[in-house]
Amino acid sequence: MIHRYTPARGFFAAAVLTAVMLAGGCAPGKHAIKGQSSGAHSPASVTAVMTKVARWQLDSIRDRGWRHPERDWTNGALYTGLMAYAKLTADSSCFHFLKDVGTTHDWQLTHGAARYFADNYCVGQLYAGLYDIYHDPRMIGDLERLADTLISRPHTESLLWQHNIHLREWAWCDGLFMGPPTLAMLSRATGQIKYMDLVDSLWWKTTDYLYDPKEHLYYRDSRYFDKREQNGQKVFWSRGNGWVMGGLVRVLENMPATYPDRARWVSLYKNMASRIAGLQQPDGTWHASLLDPASYPVKETSGTGFYCYALA
């Protein structure tokens, strides 16, 4: 089988999860590790970890340069963590760093044939998040133009993985983190429900195609429908379903409580969360293959980070 192992930013797990812990005021549960003091999970200690990780990441970029282009999807995940950290700590230097990303590119998304590839507008989550703070219309101008064009497009093609369908539709499960939260955040920032309606329509088109209602998991894309693991189980990729759950909760965070279809989204979240919780391994992580963890014994930290974030 083939898994997509392009490096995702581990900062997502460290910064966003700890941000969720702080924001939610999480206290150690009854199943806390034996002998571990409650101080290990105090807001101050969590903040210290966040700061350490954030400083390492920012210093690494300044000292060694960007490993990927600033608007690449990998950095879209990075910005999620940095934004959460900056908001909770009011770290002005982090906000300045993030604003520099936007101003360097004049708040533009990719133009040309790949403009509607969701990976290429994941950076719009950063733009919309900063707009929510600074209310500068330039930050979301190009994102609005993209979203309005997406609304006008027919979206009638099959999601079969052929003819570069990923350049036009959310035909792979990772895309459900890249595209939907971006448009949901734009909807919240502008108050335009039409963008949330677009998210709702396209999310369920992808879900109807890639989601296995018996397993409560998503196939990576149509190439995996008939593949099997070494143990005979269906192929469900850990990080891919992590992208889905991360995208799912970020959409819900930006969806109005009264949105007509919200209950359907919550039901999907509950079903996936229950299934994912049951697939956690004794070592506390999830492995690359959700249904054949023994064939992939290495701890898969990207999926694990996403699941902890989504469940928290």
Side-chain angles (χ1 to χ4, degrees):
M1 61 172 292
I2 299 172
H3 285 300
R4 182 182 174 195
Y5 284 115
T6 306
R9 292 290 187 177
F11 186 87
F12 185 95
V16 180
L17 175 57
T18 47
V20 171
M21 291 170 65
L22 272 176
C26 291
K30 63 181 179 180
H31 299 299
I33 299 173
K34 184 177 181 181
Q36 193 169 56
S37 68
S38 60
H41 302 292
S42 69
S45 65
V46 173
T47 302
V49 173
M50 292 174 65
T51 300
K52 184 176 182 179
V53 175
R55 289 297 159 206
W56 179 90
Q57 184 68 77
L58 294 174
D59 290 345
S60 177
I61 292 172
R62 292 187 181 111
D63 295 343
R64 298 173 55 194
W66 294 90
R67 273 60 130 206
H68 304 275
E70 291 98 316
R71 294 180 293 178
D72 191 68
W73 65 270
T74 52
N75 291 321
L78 166 68
Y79 302 144
T80 299
L82 288 176
M83 278 290 292
Y85 165 76
K87 283 183 177 180
L88 284 170
T89 62
D91 186 329
S92 59
S93 65
C94 190
F95 277 127
H96 182 74
F97 174 88
L98 292 168
K99 286 178 69 177
D100 277 351
V101 173
T103 55
T104 296
H105 298 282
D106 195 27
W107 305 99
Q108 296 294 298
L109 305 171
T110 297
H111 289 261
R115 181 165 169 80
Y116 307 108
F117 178 26
D119 280 10
N120 288 338
Y121 56 89
C122 183
V123 70
Q125 296 181 39
L126 173 65
Y127 295 173
L130 289 171
Y131 173 82
D132 204 35
I133 298 170
Y134 298 104
H135 309 294
D136 183 345
R138 294 176 300 171
M139 295 175 170
I140 57 170
D142 195 41
L143 178 57
E144 284 189 280
R145 287 187 287 274
L146 169 80
D148 287 337
T149 302
L150 287 172
I151 289 174
S152 71
R153 292 165 73 91
H155 301 293
T156 55
E157 287 185 86
S158 165
L159 299 185
L160 185 66
W161 195 257
Q162 62 181 7
H163 308 312
N164 292 320
I165 186 62
H166 64 283
L167 297 179
R168 301 178 298 280
E169 299 286 345
W170 302 337
W172 74 114
C173 71
D174 318 23
L176 294 182
F177 179 88
M178 312 304 173
T182 304
L183 300 174
M185 291 175 71
L186 178 65
S187 179
R188 179 176 177 271
T190 62
Q192 293 289 328
I193 202 66
K194 64 181 179 179
Y195 301 132
M196 186 61 72
D197 289 342
L198 177 64
V199 172
D200 190 53
S201 174
L202 296 186
W203 178 284
W204 293 111
K205 176 180 178 178
T206 301
T207 296
D208 289 344
Y209 192 71
L210 296 181
Y211 183 67
D212 186 322
K214 293 183 179 179
E215 298 290 353
H216 299 299
L217 298 169
Y218 283 73
Y219 293 99
R220 196 275 176 183
D221 59 64
S222 66
R223 295 173 297 175
Y224 292 84
F225 289 164
D226 298 320
K227 292 182 181 293
R228 291 295 182 269
E229 298 284 13
Q230 293 182 32
N231 65 359
Q233 293 290 329
K234 298 174 183 177
V235 177
F236 294 109
W237 176 40
S238 176
R239 192 197 302 167
N241 279 274
W243 283 119
V244 173
M245 287 202 72
L248 177 55
V249 298
R250 281 175 71 72
V251 170
L252 281 168
E253 286 173 342
N254 289 278
M255 180 182 287
T258 57
Y259 189 72
D261 212 21
R262 184 179 175 89
R264 188 182 182 191
W265 286 76
V266 172
S267 178
L268 174 63
Y269 170 78
K270 289 181 176 180
N271 287 333
M272 280 200 77
S274 177
R275 179 62 163 140
I276 288 298
L279 295 173
Q280 187 179 28
Q281 297 304 299
D283 62 15
T285 70
W286 287 259
H287 295 184
S289 172
L290 289 174
L291 301 188
D292 189 11
S295 293
Y296 299 86
V298 176
K299 298 175 177 64
E300 207 288 294
T301 55
S302 295
T304 298
F306 276 116
Y307 296 138
C308 291
Y309 166 65
L311 293 171

